[in-house]
């Protein structure tokens, strides 16, 4: 019998296993976010005993926070947990279905490309050591992690621009955007960033 194991015991990992006896139809369920009735995010690792075709069914997408978002959706996968690609995905009667001809015996799947907490901490550190940024902690999440506030720019009479990201766990794409914006504003040689910080505080 083909053997498969599924692991989600790592940073941001999340999935529920229903039945993984059939390698062509591994049945899974998206679990609720921590201390929440909402569900949308999944991220898990699949380990195979040999390279082969594998089929997946995620069964409860009609119970997720934004069911309309699955129409036209394509799941993310990665072999090294760093470089992510999209995979053709079908929506059939509240089931999300996808297959992969695996090139390796370990595969990661995710709702969107993950943004790790370690990467988040490293981004905060770059602001801490910059000449234009101030970091403070507004409070704690349900998991005891910091809710961070970054202020870029100093003059209080400037335009004030608020940007909020990651208040929902599955919105990792928002922090990828924030990283690009923050690093641009921290670039002391970037003429656009210099002009923005002259006119506004973020």
């Amino acid at each position: 019998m083909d053997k498969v194991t599924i692991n989600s015991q790592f940073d941001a990992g999340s999935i529920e296993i229903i039945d993984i006896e059939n390698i062509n139809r591994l049945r899974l369920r998206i679990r609720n976010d921590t201390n929440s009735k909402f569900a949308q995010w999944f991220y898990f690792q699949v380990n195979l005993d040999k390279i082969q075709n594998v089929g997946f069914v995620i069964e409860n997408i009609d119970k997720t926070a934004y069911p309309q978002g699955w129409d036209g959706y394509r799941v993310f996968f990665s072999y090294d947990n760093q470089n992510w690609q999209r995979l053709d995905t079908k929506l059939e009667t509240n089931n999300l279905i996808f297959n992969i001809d695996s090139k390796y015996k370990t595969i990661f799947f995710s709702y969107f490309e993950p943004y790790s907490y370690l990467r988040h901490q490293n981004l905060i550190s770059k602001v801490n050591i910059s000449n234009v940024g101030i970091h403070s902690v507004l409070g704690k999440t349900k998991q005891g992690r910091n809710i961070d506030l970054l202020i870029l720019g100093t003059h209080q009479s400037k335009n004030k621009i608020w940007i909020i990201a990651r208040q929902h766990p599955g919105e990792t794409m928002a922090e990828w955007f924030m990283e690009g914006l923050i690093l641009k504003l921290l670039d002391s040689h970037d003429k656009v960033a210099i002009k923005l910080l002259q006119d506004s505080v973020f």
Side-chain angles (χ1 to χ4, degrees), residues 14 16 30-41 60 63-66 141-143 167-170:
S14 182
E16 290 182 0
I30 299 173
R31 73 167 182 83
N32 287 359
D33 297 332
T34 301
N35 293 312
S36 172
K37 64 181 180 180
F38 297 106
Q40 193 84 17
W41 173 258
N60 67 328
K63 302 296 192 299
T64 55
Y66 185 56
T141 70
K142 287 289 187 178
Q143 292 179 320
Q167 70 269 40
H168 301 135

Side-chain angles (χ1 to χ4, degrees), residues 97-164:
I97 301 171
F98 50 97
N99 287 70
I100 186 169
D101 284 313
S102 178
K103 296 180 180 178
Y104 302 95
K105 294 196 292 184
T106 297
I107 322 164
F108 291 86
F109 294 94
S110 186
Y111 177 57
F112 279 102
E113 183 174 346
Y115 194 100
S116 73
Y117 190 58
L118 176 60
R119 191 179 184 106
H120 171 85
Q121 290 175 309
N122 290 340
L123 180 60
I124 300 300
S125 296
K126 290 175 182 177
V127 175
N128 275 331
I129 62 174
S130 73
N131 295 322
V132 297
I134 299 171
H135 167 243
S136 60
V137 177
L138 296 176
K140 297 287 184 179
T141 70
K142 287 289 187 178
Q143 292 179 320
R145 296 179 175 183
N146 288 345
I147 300 173
D148 298 299
L149 171 66
L150 304 177
I151 300 175
L152 302 179
T154 56
H155 199 284
Q156 294 304 307
S157 65
K158 294 179 179 180
N159 300 319
K160 295 172 178 62
I161 300 174
W162 283 84
I163 305 174
I164 302 172

Side-chain angles (χ1 to χ4, degrees), residues 8-201:
S8 61
Q9 297 303 309
F10 49 82
D11 183 24
S14 182
I15 199 68
E16 290 182 0
I17 298 171
I18 301 173
D19 184 355
I20 56 172
E21 291 300 314
N22 182 354
I23 196 73
N24 298 310
R25 190 178 174 86
L26 304 176
R27 297 174 56 210
L28 307 171
R29 180 186 296 121
I30 299 173
R31 73 167 182 83
N32 287 359
D33 297 332
T34 301
N35 293 312
S36 172
K37 64 181 180 180
F38 297 106
Q40 193 84 17
W41 173 258
F42 63 86
Y43 178 25
F44 58 93
Q45 177 192 47
V46 176
N47 300 290
L48 308 168
D49 62 349
K50 63 182 180 182
I51 297 170
Q52 60 188 306
N53 183 276
V54 191
F56 299 84
V57 180
I58 299 179
E59 296 188 356
N60 67 328
I61 61 167
D62 58 318
K63 302 296 192 299
T64 55
Y66 185 56
Q68 304 95 312
W70 301 111
D71 188 20
Y73 170 80
R74 298 171 70 211
V75 69
F76 281 82
F77 78 97
S78 173
Y79 292 115
D80 61 4
N81 208 21
Q82 296 293 323
N83 299 288
W84 293 84
Q85 304 173 61
R86 293 278 199 171
L87 185 65
D88 288 341
T89 307
K90 293 190 296 184
L91 179 61
E92 292 184 0
T93 318
N94 299 322
N95 292 330
L96 203 65
I97 301 171
F98 50 97
N99 287 70
I100 186 169
D101 284 313
S102 178
K103 296 180 180 178
Y104 302 95
K105 294 196 292 184
T106 297
I107 322 164
F108 291 86
F109 294 94
S110 186
Y111 177 57
F112 279 102
E113 183 174 346
Y115 194 100
S116 73
Y117 190 58
L118 176 60
R119 191 179 184 106
H120 171 85
Q121 290 175 309
N122 290 340
L123 180 60
I124 300 300
S125 296
K126 290 175 182 177
V127 175
N128 275 331
I129 62 174
S130 73
N131 295 322
V132 297
I134 299 171
H135 167 243
S136 60
V137 177
L138 296 176
K140 297 287 184 179
T141 70
K142 287 289 187 178
Q143 292 179 320
R145 296 179 175 183
N146 288 345
I147 300 173
D148 298 299
L149 171 66
L150 304 177
I151 300 175
L152 302 179
T154 56
H155 199 284
Q156 294 304 307
S157 65
K158 294 179 179 180
N159 300 319
K160 295 172 178 62
I161 300 174
W162 283 84
I163 305 174
I164 302 172
R166 292 307 299 272
Q167 70 269 40
H168 301 135
E171 295 176 352
T172 56
M173 72 296 289
E175 190 155 12
W176 286 108
F177 162 78
M178 291 292 277
E179 177 182 296
L181 174 63
I182 290 166
L183 294 181
K184 184 174 185 68
L185 290 173
L186 294 181
D187 186 349
S188 61
H189 301 293
D190 189 297
K191 293 181 180 179
V192 173
I194 293 169
K195 176 61 176 172
L196 286 170
L197 291 174
Q198 287 174 347
D199 296 338
S200 305
V201 57

